Amino acid sequence: MKTLHRTKGLTHDLVVTKRGQTITLWSAAGIRHTVLDLEAPHVPGLEYARNTLAALAFSPRARSFLILGLGGGSIPRMLFAARPGVAVDTVEIDPAVPELARRFFQVDAWPRFKIYLEDAAAFLEHCTAKYDAIMVDAYVGEKFPEHCATREFLSRARGCLNDDGVLVVNWMSGNPGLYQRLLANLDATIGPVWLLAGSKAKNTLLFASMRKSTRQELVAEAGRLEREIPFESSLGRLVQRLRPLPAAASQLHKPKS
Protein backbone atom coordinates (compact mmCIF):
# COMPACT_ATOMS: atom_id res chain seq x y z
CA MET A 1 0.00 0.00 0.00
CA LYS A 2 1.39 3.37 -1.05
CA THR A 3 0.79 6.55 0.95
CA LEU A 4 -0.22 9.33 -1.43
CA HIS A 5 -0.73 12.11 1.07
CA ARG A 6 -0.86 12.89 4.78
CA THR A 7 -2.25 16.08 6.26
CA LYS A 8 -3.49 17.47 9.58
CA GLY A 9 -7.27 17.64 9.78
CA LEU A 10 -9.42 19.57 12.21
CA THR A 11 -9.48 16.81 14.84
CA HIS A 12 -7.02 14.18 13.55
CA ASP A 13 -4.49 13.49 10.83
CA LEU A 14 -5.86 12.30 7.49
CA VAL A 15 -4.08 9.85 5.21
CA VAL A 16 -4.74 8.94 1.57
CA THR A 17 -3.40 5.59 0.37
CA LYS A 18 -3.51 3.55 -2.82
CA ARG A 19 -3.37 -0.21 -3.23
CA GLY A 20 -3.78 -1.38 -6.81
CA GLN A 21 -6.82 0.48 -8.14
CA THR A 22 -8.23 1.29 -4.69
CA ILE A 23 -7.82 4.73 -3.09
CA THR A 24 -8.68 5.06 0.60
CA LEU A 25 -9.11 8.03 2.91
CA TRP A 26 -8.19 7.18 6.50
CA SER A 27 -7.87 8.90 9.82
CA ALA A 28 -4.49 8.35 11.44
CA ALA A 29 -6.26 6.09 13.97
CA GLY A 30 -6.99 3.62 11.18
CA ILE A 31 -10.65 4.49 10.52
CA ARG A 32 -11.63 4.34 6.85
CA HIS A 33 -13.72 7.30 5.70
CA THR A 34 -13.88 6.55 1.97
CA VAL A 35 -12.87 3.65 -0.25
CA LEU A 36 -12.83 4.28 -4.00
CA ASP A 37 -12.30 1.50 -6.55
CA LEU A 38 -11.18 3.21 -9.75
CA GLU A 39 -12.49 0.27 -11.77
CA ALA A 40 -16.02 0.75 -10.36
CA PRO A 41 -16.04 4.30 -8.98
CA HIS A 42 -19.84 4.53 -8.73
CA VAL A 43 -20.00 1.71 -6.13
CA PRO A 44 -18.77 2.84 -2.68
CA GLY A 45 -16.19 0.57 -1.15
CA LEU A 46 -17.72 0.90 2.33
CA GLU A 47 -20.90 -1.08 2.98
CA TYR A 48 -22.77 1.63 4.87
CA ALA A 49 -22.25 4.08 1.99
CA ARG A 50 -23.65 1.55 -0.49
CA ASN A 51 -26.61 0.96 1.81
CA THR A 52 -27.67 4.62 1.75
CA LEU A 53 -29.13 3.86 -1.69
CA ALA A 54 -32.15 2.49 0.19
CA ALA A 55 -33.23 6.11 0.76
CA LEU A 56 -34.63 6.03 -2.78
CA ALA A 57 -37.28 3.51 -1.73
CA PHE A 58 -38.63 6.05 0.79
CA SER A 59 -38.41 9.00 -1.61
CA PRO A 60 -38.58 7.44 -5.09
CA ARG A 61 -38.82 10.75 -6.94
CA ALA A 62 -35.92 12.29 -5.04
CA ARG A 63 -34.03 14.90 -7.06
CA SER A 64 -32.26 16.87 -4.33
CA PHE A 65 -29.98 15.58 -1.58
CA LEU A 66 -28.17 17.13 1.38
CA ILE A 67 -25.28 15.16 2.89
CA LEU A 68 -23.84 16.29 6.22
CA GLY A 69 -20.26 15.00 6.05
CA LEU A 70 -18.27 14.75 2.82
CA GLY A 71 -15.38 12.31 3.18
CA GLY A 72 -14.19 11.40 -0.30
CA GLY A 73 -17.65 11.90 -1.80
CA SER A 74 -18.55 8.24 -2.41
CA ILE A 75 -22.26 8.71 -1.60
CA PRO A 76 -22.73 11.67 -4.00
CA ARG A 77 -20.84 9.72 -6.68
CA MET A 78 -23.24 6.77 -6.30
CA LEU A 79 -26.31 9.03 -6.35
CA PHE A 80 -25.19 10.78 -9.53
CA ALA A 81 -24.62 7.41 -11.20
CA ALA A 82 -27.96 6.02 -10.02
CA ARG A 83 -30.08 9.07 -10.83
CA PRO A 84 -28.40 11.31 -13.42
CA GLY A 85 -29.69 14.85 -13.11
CA VAL A 86 -30.00 15.00 -9.33
CA ALA A 87 -28.50 17.83 -7.29
CA VAL A 88 -26.37 17.16 -4.21
CA ASP A 89 -25.24 19.62 -1.54
CA THR A 90 -22.69 18.56 1.05
CA VAL A 91 -21.64 20.19 4.31
CA GLU A 92 -18.19 19.57 5.75
CA ILE A 93 -16.66 21.23 8.83
CA ASP A 94 -13.03 20.18 8.23
CA PRO A 95 -11.35 22.32 5.52
CA ALA A 96 -8.78 19.58 4.86
CA VAL A 97 -11.45 17.13 3.68
CA PRO A 98 -12.75 18.99 0.59
CA GLU A 99 -9.17 19.60 -0.47
CA LEU A 100 -8.42 15.88 -0.36
CA ALA A 101 -11.74 15.00 -2.00
CA ARG A 102 -10.98 17.29 -4.93
CA ARG A 103 -7.37 16.22 -5.30
CA PHE A 104 -7.70 12.45 -4.94
CA PHE A 105 -11.40 11.60 -5.38
CA GLN A 106 -12.35 13.88 -8.31
CA VAL A 107 -15.44 15.39 -6.70
CA ASP A 108 -15.20 18.58 -8.77
CA ALA A 109 -16.01 16.59 -11.92
CA TRP A 110 -19.75 16.58 -11.13
CA PRO A 111 -22.36 19.15 -12.15
CA ARG A 112 -25.07 20.21 -9.67
CA PHE A 113 -22.74 19.52 -6.75
CA LYS A 114 -21.85 21.99 -4.00
CA ILE A 115 -19.65 21.81 -0.93
CA TYR A 116 -20.36 24.11 2.02
CA LEU A 117 -17.51 24.47 4.52
CA GLU A 118 -19.51 24.83 7.69
CA ASP A 119 -20.74 23.13 10.86
CA ALA A 120 -23.80 20.99 10.09
CA ALA A 121 -25.93 22.47 12.87
CA ALA A 122 -25.15 26.02 11.75
CA PHE A 123 -25.99 25.14 8.15
CA LEU A 124 -29.38 23.72 9.11
CA GLU A 125 -30.13 26.78 11.24
CA HIS A 126 -30.02 29.12 8.23
CA CYS A 127 -31.01 26.58 5.56
CA THR A 128 -33.77 27.87 3.25
CA ALA A 129 -33.62 25.12 0.62
CA LYS A 130 -35.80 21.99 0.61
CA TYR A 131 -34.38 18.53 0.00
CA ASP A 132 -35.92 15.17 -0.81
CA ALA A 133 -33.34 13.36 1.33
CA ILE A 134 -30.91 14.44 4.03
CA MET A 135 -28.10 12.14 5.14
CA VAL A 136 -26.36 12.67 8.47
CA ASP A 137 -22.84 11.24 8.31
CA ALA A 138 -21.13 13.75 10.57
CA TYR A 139 -18.80 11.68 12.70
CA VAL A 140 -15.85 13.01 14.66
CA GLY A 141 -13.57 10.00 14.51
CA GLU A 142 -15.80 7.15 15.73
CA LYS A 143 -18.00 9.41 17.86
CA PHE A 144 -21.48 10.52 16.83
CA PRO A 145 -21.93 14.19 17.84
CA GLU A 146 -24.47 14.29 20.67
CA HIS A 147 -26.09 17.47 19.40
CA CYS A 148 -27.00 15.63 16.16
CA ALA A 149 -29.35 13.42 18.20
CA THR A 150 -31.30 16.29 19.79
CA ARG A 151 -34.81 17.34 18.89
CA GLU A 152 -33.51 20.81 18.08
CA PHE A 153 -31.06 19.52 15.47
CA LEU A 154 -33.53 17.05 13.98
CA SER A 155 -36.32 19.64 13.90
CA ARG A 156 -34.07 21.93 11.89
CA ALA A 157 -33.34 19.07 9.52
CA ARG A 158 -37.08 18.43 9.21
CA GLY A 159 -37.57 22.05 8.19
CA CYS A 160 -35.23 21.43 5.25
CA LEU A 161 -37.10 18.33 4.04
CA ASN A 162 -39.85 18.20 1.46
CA ASP A 163 -43.20 16.78 2.56
CA ASP A 164 -42.36 13.26 1.32
CA GLY A 165 -38.67 13.41 2.25
CA VAL A 166 -36.52 11.06 4.28
CA LEU A 167 -33.75 11.62 6.82
CA VAL A 168 -30.95 9.03 6.91
CA VAL A 169 -28.55 8.71 9.84
CA ASN A 170 -25.36 6.64 9.83
CA TRP A 171 -24.98 5.17 13.33
CA MET A 172 -21.90 3.26 14.50
CA SER A 173 -21.41 4.48 18.05
CA GLY A 174 -21.63 2.13 21.01
CA ASN A 175 -23.42 4.64 23.25
CA PRO A 176 -26.78 2.90 23.97
CA GLY A 177 -28.31 5.86 25.79
CA LEU A 178 -27.54 8.27 22.96
CA TYR A 179 -28.82 5.72 20.44
CA GLN A 180 -32.18 5.41 22.21
CA ARG A 181 -32.53 9.20 22.42
CA LEU A 182 -31.75 9.45 18.71
CA LEU A 183 -34.39 6.85 17.82
CA ALA A 184 -37.03 8.54 19.95
CA ASN A 185 -36.24 12.02 18.65
CA LEU A 186 -36.24 10.84 15.03
CA ASP A 187 -39.71 9.36 15.51
CA ALA A 188 -40.96 12.47 17.33
CA THR A 189 -39.63 15.05 14.88
CA ILE A 190 -39.55 13.32 11.47
CA GLY A 191 -41.69 10.19 11.39
CA PRO A 192 -41.57 6.38 11.42
CA VAL A 193 -38.06 4.92 11.73
CA TRP A 194 -36.72 1.93 9.80
CA LEU A 195 -33.40 0.24 10.60
CA LEU A 196 -30.90 -1.28 8.18
CA ALA A 197 -28.04 -3.05 9.95
CA GLY A 198 -24.80 -3.71 8.13
CA SER A 199 -24.13 -7.33 7.23
CA LYS A 200 -20.35 -6.93 7.61
CA ALA A 201 -19.74 -3.49 9.09
CA LYS A 202 -20.99 -2.33 12.48
CA ASN A 203 -22.87 0.61 10.97
CA THR A 204 -26.66 0.77 11.23
CA LEU A 205 -28.56 3.13 8.96
CA LEU A 206 -31.68 4.79 10.35
CA PHE A 207 -34.33 5.99 7.89
CA ALA A 208 -36.92 8.42 9.28
CA SER A 209 -39.61 9.11 6.71
CA MET A 210 -41.98 12.05 6.55
CA ARG A 211 -44.66 9.74 5.19
CA LYS A 212 -45.71 6.32 6.41
CA SER A 213 -44.85 3.39 4.17
CA THR A 214 -45.59 -0.29 4.45
CA ARG A 215 -42.95 -2.92 3.72
CA GLN A 216 -44.99 -3.95 0.68
CA GLU A 217 -44.87 -0.38 -0.68
CA LEU A 218 -41.13 -0.06 -0.07
CA VAL A 219 -40.42 -3.40 -1.76
CA ALA A 220 -42.54 -2.42 -4.75
CA GLU A 221 -40.75 0.93 -5.12
CA ALA A 222 -37.37 -0.75 -4.80
CA GLY A 223 -38.23 -3.24 -7.53
CA ARG A 224 -39.34 -0.51 -9.89
CA LEU A 225 -36.36 1.75 -9.16
CA GLU A 226 -33.83 -1.06 -9.45
CA ARG A 227 -34.85 -1.51 -13.09
CA GLU A 228 -34.21 2.19 -13.72
CA ILE A 229 -30.77 2.39 -12.11
CA PRO A 230 -28.18 2.23 -14.92
CA PHE A 231 -25.84 -0.15 -13.07
CA GLU A 232 -26.28 -3.36 -11.12
CA SER A 233 -27.47 -2.46 -7.63
CA SER A 234 -28.69 -4.23 -4.52
CA LEU A 235 -31.59 -1.90 -3.81
CA GLY A 236 -34.16 -4.69 -3.75
CA ARG A 237 -32.11 -6.80 -1.35
CA LEU A 238 -31.44 -3.80 0.87
CA VAL A 239 -35.12 -3.01 1.26
CA GLN A 240 -35.87 -6.63 2.13
CA ARG A 241 -33.50 -6.22 5.09
CA LEU A 242 -35.18 -3.08 6.45
CA ARG A 243 -36.74 -3.46 9.88
CA PRO A 244 -39.33 -1.01 11.22
CA LEU A 245 -38.81 0.40 14.70
CA PRO A 246 -41.74 -0.94 16.75
CA ALA A 247 -44.13 1.82 17.77
CA ALA A 248 -44.07 0.59 21.34
CA ALA A 249 -40.30 0.92 21.52
CA SER A 250 -40.53 4.40 20.03
CA GLN A 251 -42.98 5.48 22.71
CA LEU A 252 -40.96 3.80 25.45
CA HIS A 253 -37.83 5.79 24.68
CA LYS A 254 -39.51 9.05 23.71
CA PRO A 255 -38.16 11.88 25.95
CA LYS A 256 -40.63 13.79 28.08
CA SER A 257 -41.40 17.25 26.80
Side-chain angles (χ1 to χ4, degrees), residues 100-113:
L100 296 177
R102 294 185 177 105
R103 181 174 175 184
F104 296 101
F105 297 90
Q106 305 166 349
V107 300
D108 272 349
W110 309 323
R112 299 173 301 281
F113 177 69

PDB file of all heavy atoms in Angstrom, residues 100-113:
ATOM      1  N   LEU A 100      -8.788  17.241  -0.007  1.00  0.00           N
ATOM      2  CA  LEU A 100      -8.424  15.876  -0.355  1.00  0.00           C
ATOM      3  C   LEU A 100      -9.430  15.260  -1.325  1.00  0.00           C
ATOM      4  O   LEU A 100      -9.049  14.513  -2.235  1.00  0.00           O
ATOM      5  CB  LEU A 100      -8.328  15.017   0.910  1.00  0.00           C
ATOM      6  CG  LEU A 100      -7.237  15.404   1.914  1.00  0.00           C
ATOM      7  CD1 LEU A 100      -7.315  14.515   3.143  1.00  0.00           C
ATOM      8  CD2 LEU A 100      -5.859  15.317   1.272  1.00  0.00           C
ATOM      9  N   ALA A 101     -10.711  15.556  -1.121  1.00  0.00           N
ATOM     10  CA  ALA A 101     -11.744  15.004  -1.999  1.00  0.00           C
ATOM     11  C   ALA A 101     -11.575  15.490  -3.437  1.00  0.00           C
ATOM     12  O   ALA A 101     -11.767  14.732  -4.388  1.00  0.00           O
ATOM     13  CB  ALA A 101     -13.131  15.375  -1.470  1.00  0.00           C
ATOM     14  N   ARG A 102     -11.202  16.747  -3.584  1.00  0.00           N
ATOM     15  CA  ARG A 102     -10.981  17.286  -4.928  1.00  0.00           C
ATOM     16  C   ARG A 102      -9.703  16.717  -5.560  1.00  0.00           C
ATOM     17  O   ARG A 102      -9.685  16.369  -6.741  1.00  0.00           O
ATOM     18  CB  ARG A 102     -10.903  18.811  -4.878  1.00  0.00           C
ATOM     19  CG  ARG A 102     -12.207  19.501  -4.480  1.00  0.00           C
ATOM     20  CD  ARG A 102     -12.059  21.015  -4.569  1.00  0.00           C
ATOM     21  NE  ARG A 102     -13.306  21.699  -4.275  1.00  0.00           N
ATOM     22  CZ  ARG A 102     -13.550  22.346  -3.129  1.00  0.00           C
ATOM     23  NH1 ARG A 102     -12.619  22.388  -2.170  1.00  0.00           N
ATOM     24  NH2 ARG A 102     -14.712  22.939  -2.940  1.00  0.00           N
ATOM     25  N   ARG A 103      -8.666  16.622  -4.763  1.00  0.00           N
ATOM     26  CA  ARG A 103      -7.367  16.217  -5.302  1.00  0.00           C
ATOM     27  C   ARG A 103      -7.290  14.736  -5.639  1.00  0.00           C
ATOM     28  O   ARG A 103      -6.733  14.349  -6.665  1.00  0.00           O
ATOM     29  CB  ARG A 103      -6.272  16.579  -4.301  1.00  0.00           C
ATOM     30  CG  ARG A 103      -4.872  16.226  -4.769  1.00  0.00           C
ATOM     31  CD  ARG A 103      -3.827  16.735  -3.796  1.00  0.00           C
ATOM     32  NE  ARG A 103      -2.492  16.300  -4.161  1.00  0.00           N
ATOM     33  CZ  ARG A 103      -1.406  16.536  -3.437  1.00  0.00           C
ATOM     34  NH1 ARG A 103      -1.517  17.235  -2.301  1.00  0.00           N
ATOM     35  NH2 ARG A 103      -0.220  16.102  -3.825  1.00  0.00           N
ATOM     36  N   PHE A 104      -7.884  13.884  -4.774  1.00  0.00           N
ATOM     37  CA  PHE A 104      -7.696  12.449  -4.939  1.00  0.00           C
ATOM     38  C   PHE A 104      -8.974  11.694  -5.321  1.00  0.00           C
ATOM     39  O   PHE A 104      -8.888  10.554  -5.781  1.00  0.00           O
ATOM     40  CB  PHE A 104      -7.127  11.845  -3.654  1.00  0.00           C
ATOM     41  CG  PHE A 104      -5.765  12.365  -3.315  1.00  0.00           C
ATOM     42  CD1 PHE A 104      -5.591  13.342  -2.346  1.00  0.00           C
ATOM     43  CD2 PHE A 104      -4.636  11.892  -3.967  1.00  0.00           C
ATOM     44  CE1 PHE A 104      -4.336  13.825  -2.022  1.00  0.00           C
ATOM     45  CE2 PHE A 104      -3.374  12.364  -3.663  1.00  0.00           C
ATOM     46  CZ  PHE A 104      -3.222  13.343  -2.685  1.00  0.00           C
ATOM     47  N   PHE A 105     -10.143  12.322  -5.134  1.00  0.00           N
ATOM     48  CA  PHE A 105     -11.396  11.605  -5.381  1.00  0.00           C
ATOM     49  C   PHE A 105     -12.271  12.275  -6.439  1.00  0.00           C
ATOM     50  O   PHE A 105     -13.410  11.883  -6.632  1.00  0.00           O
ATOM     51  CB  PHE A 105     -12.167  11.434  -4.064  1.00  0.00           C
ATOM     52  CG  PHE A 105     -11.437  10.588  -3.059  1.00  0.00           C
ATOM     53  CD1 PHE A 105     -10.569  11.166  -2.142  1.00  0.00           C
ATOM     54  CD2 PHE A 105     -11.587   9.213  -3.040  1.00  0.00           C
ATOM     55  CE1 PHE A 105      -9.873  10.397  -1.218  1.00  0.00           C
ATOM     56  CE2 PHE A 105     -10.900   8.430  -2.117  1.00  0.00           C
ATOM     57  CZ  PHE A 105     -10.036   9.025  -1.214  1.00  0.00           C
ATOM     58  N   GLN A 106     -11.756  13.303  -7.102  1.00  0.00           N
ATOM     59  CA  GLN A 106     -12.350  13.885  -8.310  1.00  0.00           C
ATOM     60  C   GLN A 106     -13.780  14.383  -8.111  1.00  0.00           C
ATOM     61  O   GLN A 106     -14.612  14.269  -8.999  1.00  0.00           O
ATOM     62  CB  GLN A 106     -12.317  12.858  -9.444  1.00  0.00           C
ATOM     63  CG  GLN A 106     -10.928  12.303  -9.712  1.00  0.00           C
ATOM     64  CD  GLN A 106     -10.948  11.067 -10.590  1.00  0.00           C
ATOM     65  OE1 GLN A 106     -11.989  10.474 -10.856  1.00  0.00           O
ATOM     66  NE2 GLN A 106      -9.778  10.656 -11.046  1.00  0.00           N
ATOM     67  N   VAL A 107     -14.072  14.952  -6.934  1.00  0.00           N
ATOM     68  CA  VAL A 107     -15.444  15.387  -6.700  1.00  0.00           C
ATOM     69  C   VAL A 107     -15.825  16.622  -7.513  1.00  0.00           C
ATOM     70  O   VAL A 107     -17.013  16.876  -7.728  1.00  0.00           O
ATOM     71  CB  VAL A 107     -15.702  15.664  -5.198  1.00  0.00           C
ATOM     72  CG1 VAL A 107     -15.482  14.428  -4.363  1.00  0.00           C
ATOM     73  CG2 VAL A 107     -14.851  16.818  -4.700  1.00  0.00           C
ATOM     74  N   ASP A 108     -14.868  17.389  -7.986  1.00  0.00           N
ATOM     75  CA  ASP A 108     -15.199  18.581  -8.766  1.00  0.00           C
ATOM     76  C   ASP A 108     -15.666  18.255 -10.178  1.00  0.00           C
ATOM     77  O   ASP A 108     -16.066  19.140 -10.920  1.00  0.00           O
ATOM     78  CB  ASP A 108     -13.975  19.508  -8.847  1.00  0.00           C
ATOM     79  CG  ASP A 108     -13.929  20.477  -7.675  1.00  0.00           C
ATOM     80  OD1 ASP A 108     -14.935  20.562  -6.950  1.00  0.00           O
ATOM     81  OD2 ASP A 108     -12.894  21.135  -7.486  1.00  0.00           O
ATOM     82  N   ALA A 109     -15.627  16.986 -10.563  1.00  0.00           N
ATOM     83  CA  ALA A 109     -16.007  16.595 -11.918  1.00  0.00           C
ATOM     84  C   ALA A 109     -17.516  16.564 -12.104  1.00  0.00           C
ATOM     85  O   ALA A 109     -17.994  16.377 -13.223  1.00  0.00           O
ATOM     86  CB  ALA A 109     -15.419  15.220 -12.251  1.00  0.00           C
ATOM     87  N   TRP A 110     -18.296  16.762 -11.045  1.00  0.00           N
ATOM     88  CA  TRP A 110     -19.747  16.585 -11.130  1.00  0.00           C
ATOM     89  C   TRP A 110     -20.472  17.926 -11.263  1.00  0.00           C
ATOM     90  O   TRP A 110     -20.169  18.882 -10.555  1.00  0.00           O
ATOM     91  CB  TRP A 110     -20.267  15.886  -9.871  1.00  0.00           C
ATOM     92  CG  TRP A 110     -19.543  14.633  -9.526  1.00  0.00           C
ATOM     93  CD1 TRP A 110     -19.057  13.698 -10.388  1.00  0.00           C
ATOM     94  CD2 TRP A 110     -19.199  14.188  -8.210  1.00  0.00           C
ATOM     95  NE1 TRP A 110     -18.448  12.685  -9.702  1.00  0.00           N
ATOM     96  CE2 TRP A 110     -18.514  12.953  -8.363  1.00  0.00           C
ATOM     97  CE3 TRP A 110     -19.410  14.690  -6.935  1.00  0.00           C
ATOM     98  CZ2 TRP A 110     -18.040  12.227  -7.287  1.00  0.00           C
ATOM     99  CZ3 TRP A 110     -18.939  13.972  -5.856  1.00  0.00           C
ATOM    100  CH2 TRP A 110     -18.260  12.758  -6.024  1.00  0.00           C
ATOM    101  N   PRO A 111     -21.479  17.979 -12.131  1.00  0.00           N
ATOM    102  CA  PRO A 111     -22.359  19.153 -12.147  1.00  0.00           C
ATOM    103  C   PRO A 111     -23.384  19.053 -11.016  1.00  0.00           C
ATOM    104  O   PRO A 111     -23.568  17.985 -10.426  1.00  0.00           O
ATOM    105  CB  PRO A 111     -23.044  19.043 -13.517  1.00  0.00           C
ATOM    106  CG  PRO A 111     -23.066  17.577 -13.802  1.00  0.00           C
ATOM    107  CD  PRO A 111     -21.807  17.006 -13.188  1.00  0.00           C
ATOM    108  N   ARG A 112     -24.015  20.161 -10.695  1.00  0.00           N
ATOM    109  CA  ARG A 112     -25.067  20.206  -9.675  1.00  0.00           C
ATOM    110  C   ARG A 112     -24.587  19.654  -8.330  1.00  0.00           C
ATOM    111  O   ARG A 112     -25.296  18.951  -7.630  1.00  0.00           O
ATOM    112  CB  ARG A 112     -26.316  19.443 -10.142  1.00  0.00           C
ATOM    113  CG  ARG A 112     -26.950  20.018 -11.407  1.00  0.00           C
ATOM    114  CD  ARG A 112     -28.063  19.164 -11.929  1.00  0.00           C
ATOM    115  NE  ARG A 112     -27.588  17.812 -12.249  1.00  0.00           N
ATOM    116  CZ  ARG A 112     -26.919  17.499 -13.366  1.00  0.00           C
ATOM    117  NH1 ARG A 112     -26.664  18.427 -14.269  1.00  0.00           N
ATOM    118  NH2 ARG A 112     -26.521  16.255 -13.580  1.00  0.00           N
ATOM    119  N   PHE A 113     -23.337  19.983  -8.002  1.00  0.00           N
ATOM    120  CA  PHE A 113     -22.745  19.519  -6.746  1.00  0.00           C
ATOM    121  C   PHE A 113     -22.081  20.694  -6.050  1.00  0.00           C
ATOM    122  O   PHE A 113     -21.291  21.418  -6.646  1.00  0.00           O
ATOM    123  CB  PHE A 113     -21.712  18.426  -7.030  1.00  0.00           C
ATOM    124  CG  PHE A 113     -20.999  17.927  -5.800  1.00  0.00           C
ATOM    125  CD1 PHE A 113     -21.668  17.192  -4.851  1.00  0.00           C
ATOM    126  CD2 PHE A 113     -19.649  18.212  -5.606  1.00  0.00           C
ATOM    127  CE1 PHE A 113     -21.015  16.723  -3.719  1.00  0.00           C
ATOM    128  CE2 PHE A 113     -18.986  17.749  -4.482  1.00  0.00           C
ATOM    129  CZ  PHE A 113     -19.667  17.005  -3.534  1.00  0.00           C
TER     130      PHE A 113
END
